[in-house]
Amino acid sequence: MLYDKAVKLAGLALAVVLAGVLLAPAAQATPIAFYNSTSNVQGTPRFTIGCGSVNGSCVAQLEAATSTSPLAWSSSLGLVLSDLPNANPTTETNFVNALLGTSFAIGSNISPTGSNPFEFQTDGAYLLVKVGSGPTGQSYALLQNIGGGALDLWFNATGQAGGLSHYIAFGTATPTPVPEPGALGVFGLGLLILGGGYALRRRMPA
């Protein structure tokens, strides 16, 4: 009898723990931080890009290039690219197509208005963000829209030289349906309750 009670209590405790894990909200991550090199992660980032708000997380929505050879992506760290000779739609489009192996048509640069931080929206599959001014001070960030659909983005300079000059979007991202964490949690909790009830009925005397 004592053993059965201990087993029941252990099962109940496990169900509570699992339900807490399933129902707990996902941890909020920081915006993507862009450094002049990937080895400079301990220094001050040159700028950040957030999703939804200035400090919003871009996890599961946007990724930034962390290297160009081979091309690699990250949802928390971006590499500032500086090997583009001058800023105009033709050279920028050719630069992106060479990195991605794509054949996007030449797009148009868009310069946000207002003061830092800048808010802007895009539904592009890829995004090239240009910071700084002049042929020697300019740098770029390359991002891909992995969440699909329209994104509300924020650019926030960190005090280093060179603010947001313009951005150019390529292609159109297709929305990807993702199950809501809350719905998954409720489903999992329901399974736990059903399983616990079934186990208790089996142990009850006829």
Side-chain angles (χ1 to χ4, degrees), residues 35-36 46-47 79-93 95 109 128-142 155 160-167:
Y35 299 85
N36 287 328
R46 185 165 181 181
F47 60 90
L79 175 65
V80 174
L81 312 174
S82 57
D83 51 350
L84 193 58
N86 50 63
N88 65 65
T90 300
T91 58
E92 291 173 344
T93 300
F95 177 69
N109 293 338
L128 187 70
V129 175
K130 191 258 184 180
V131 298
S133 60
T136 58
Q138 64 188 15
S139 298
Y140 291 86
L142 179 63
F155 173 96
Q160 294 192 31
L164 177 60
S165 169
H166 61 259
Y167 66 91

Side-chain angles (χ1 to χ4, degrees), residues 8-29:
K8 291 177 183 178
L9 287 174
L12 180 60
L14 179 61
V16 170
V17 171
L18 289 175
V21 171
L22 288 170
L23 293 173
Q28 180 74 9

Side-chain angles (χ1 to χ4, degrees), residues 45-95:
R46 185 165 181 181
F47 60 90
T48 60
I49 291 181
C51 296
S53 67
V54 178
N55 295 314
S57 168
C58 285
V59 173
Q61 294 177 289
L62 198 68
E63 287 185 339
T66 58
S67 66
T68 57
S69 183
L71 192 61
W73 304 93
S74 169
S75 59
S76 60
L77 175 68
L79 175 65
V80 174
L81 312 174
S82 57
D83 51 350
L84 193 58
N86 50 63
N88 65 65
T90 300
T91 58
E92 291 173 344
T93 300
N94 291 339
F95 177 69

